[in-house]
Amino acid sequence: MVAATLVFSVGAASAIEKPLQGANLLLDTYHRNLAKLETNNFGFPLIVESIERDDSVHVDVYGISLHPFSKVVNVFKVPANWCDIVSLFPNVKACTYSELPGNEQLTFYIGKKVYQPPEDASQLIFNFRNVYLQQEYLDITLNANEGPYGTKDHRIRVEALPIDGGRTFVHISYSYSDNIAVRLIEKIYYATVGRSKIGFTVTGTDGNGNPVYIDGPRGATERTAVQCYFAIQSFINTVHYPEESRFSMRISQWYDLTTRYRKQLFDMDEKDYLTYKTAEHKNQQALQQRIGTGHQ
């Protein structure tokens, strides 16, 4: 079930908006949420909003990158970069990209948190599309018709626009559909082995006055959304370093960022995470090389 809530955030934004409408809506969202961005539980500009429906979970992540819009665009518009971003997740064993006639494709290999070769993982295939790119607005979508455990219609959307101070306002959203059978499995999972997976939305307080956080599918998707934001942050923060140093810096930074929120995001000891990811990164490079030479 973690695979079904793999990446980012689940968003309700529509793909049929015209570019100008999308830019205006995103700018309006930024202005409406200035207070939340300045003061929140994260301690830096980040908002996570979620809603759960009968057949889906929706989460939106809004954040402010300290990097200029041009730098953010250069990262987001390249499919290969998304493979290096999502592969920071413990459950992503590898990611490959390929160019097809009129289409670019990303394949996520979803598996266990411990080390696992990609051939033992499930594949989630996305079509990558630059919907719109202009001087002050970026809109990208990734679509997958089918996903793991009977899920379908996976859709990732990435928007960005420049704001004052040379910064960038970023919105990442993710959506998928499921069915009654999947929901039943989810309920069993989150009532047993997945009961510790909580999100960031506070639903109340316990007898001692401590916050109670959202759990279940919505909580799991929120935690995945924040993990993704940290993965993006770790990638962008390291792109200006020598290429041979980027990967080790990236996985160390992602681990440090996520362990600030141990209650929601802690998965394993740092030594294990770095060991698993180093081995899986080599597998990913080998897979990508095979695709590049036509030997898949």
Side-chain angles (χ1 to χ4, degrees):
M1 295 327 329
V2 174
T5 57
L6 165 65
V7 225
F8 316 166
S9 53
V10 184
S14 172
I16 62 174
E17 297 159 358
K18 295 181 180 179
L20 183 59
Q21 290 176 326
N24 289 339
L25 287 171
L26 188 59
L27 185 60
D28 180 64
T29 300
Y30 166 67
H31 288 302
R32 284 189 290 104
N33 288 283
L34 276 174
K36 290 183 180 179
L37 288 165
E38 293 174 359
T39 305
N40 56 64
N41 294 332
F42 292 100
F44 57 87
L46 182 66
I47 301 173
V48 179
E49 298 177 343
S50 64
I51 184 172
E52 185 172 0
R53 296 172 179 162
D54 290 340
D55 60 351
S56 63
V57 179
H58 299 276
V59 181
D60 288 287
V61 171
Y62 300 96
I64 295 177
S65 171
L66 299 180
H67 298 284
F69 179 69
S70 58
K71 186 174 183 179
V72 172
V73 167
N74 287 337
V75 168
F76 285 170
K77 71 180 183 180
V78 179
N81 290 343
W82 282 104
C83 275
D84 288 332
I85 289 171
V86 301
S87 61
L88 294 176
F89 284 71
N91 288 87
V92 179
K93 306 293 96 181
C95 173
T96 57
Y97 61 93
S98 57
E99 293 186 8
L100 304 176
N103 183 35
E104 292 177 295
Q105 195 172 84
L106 298 177
T107 302
F108 298 175
Y109 294 78
I110 314 301
K112 302 176 182 178
K113 292 179 182 178
V114 298
Y115 171 78
Q116 189 177 17
E119 56 266 26
D120 293 341
S122 301
Q123 293 186 20
L124 182 58
I125 301 174
F126 283 94
N127 294 313
F128 181 94
R129 187 164 64 99
N130 278 310
V131 176
Y132 193 75
L133 172 60
Q134 64 177 24
Q135 187 174 357
E136 296 188 347
Y137 179 61
L138 171 72
D139 189 353
I140 289 173
T141 61
L142 290 81
N143 297 287
N145 293 330
E146 297 180 358
Y149 305 108
T151 59
K152 60 182 181 179
D153 300 329
H154 291 251
R155 178 173 175 272
I156 298 169
R157 185 184 186 187
V158 184
E159 294 180 283
L161 54 78
I163 55 176
D164 59 285
R167 303 174 301 166
T168 304
F169 185 55
V170 178
H171 170 224
I172 302 176
S173 65
Y174 176 73
S175 62
Y176 71 93
S177 301
D178 56 20
N179 53 48
I180 296 175
V182 172
R183 280 284 153 155
L184 178 59
I185 296 172
E186 285 180 336
K187 288 182 179 179
I188 296 172
Y189 173 80
Y190 289 115
T192 53
V193 294
R195 60 182 178 275
S196 63
K197 299 185 183 301
I198 58 173
F200 292 86
T201 297
V202 177
T203 59
T205 55
D206 61 18
N208 297 319
N210 298 315
V212 175
Y213 297 97
I214 190 71
D215 57 10
R218 184 177 160 193
T221 310
E222 284 191 0
R223 72 189 294 274
T224 305
V226 176
Q227 285 178 322
C228 177
Y229 186 85
F230 289 154
I232 291 171
Q233 188 173 340
S234 300
F235 185 93
I236 297 178
N237 287 347
T238 56
V239 293
H240 63 283
Y241 287 97
E243 186 173 357
E244 62 270 16
S245 304
R246 293 175 193 168
F247 175 73
S248 60
M249 295 177 66
R250 197 173 295 148
I251 57 177
S252 294
Q253 186 172 135
W254 184 89
Y255 188 87
D256 291 342
L257 286 169
T258 56
T259 50
R260 293 182 186 179
Y261 308 93
R262 293 182 68 89
K263 186 176 296 186
Q264 287 93 352
L265 302 182
F266 181 79
D267 283 319
M268 66 185 73
D269 292 334
E270 182 176 15
K271 181 180 178 180
D272 290 336
Y273 173 76
L274 299 182
T275 300
Y276 298 156
K277 282 293 132 185
T278 299
E280 290 168 357
H281 183 64
K282 292 179 181 178
N283 293 340
Q284 175 170 308
Q285 289 179 313
L287 270 177
Q288 189 61 57
Q289 186 175 16
R290 287 163 55 191
I291 292 173
T293 57
H295 300 292
Q296 298 187 43

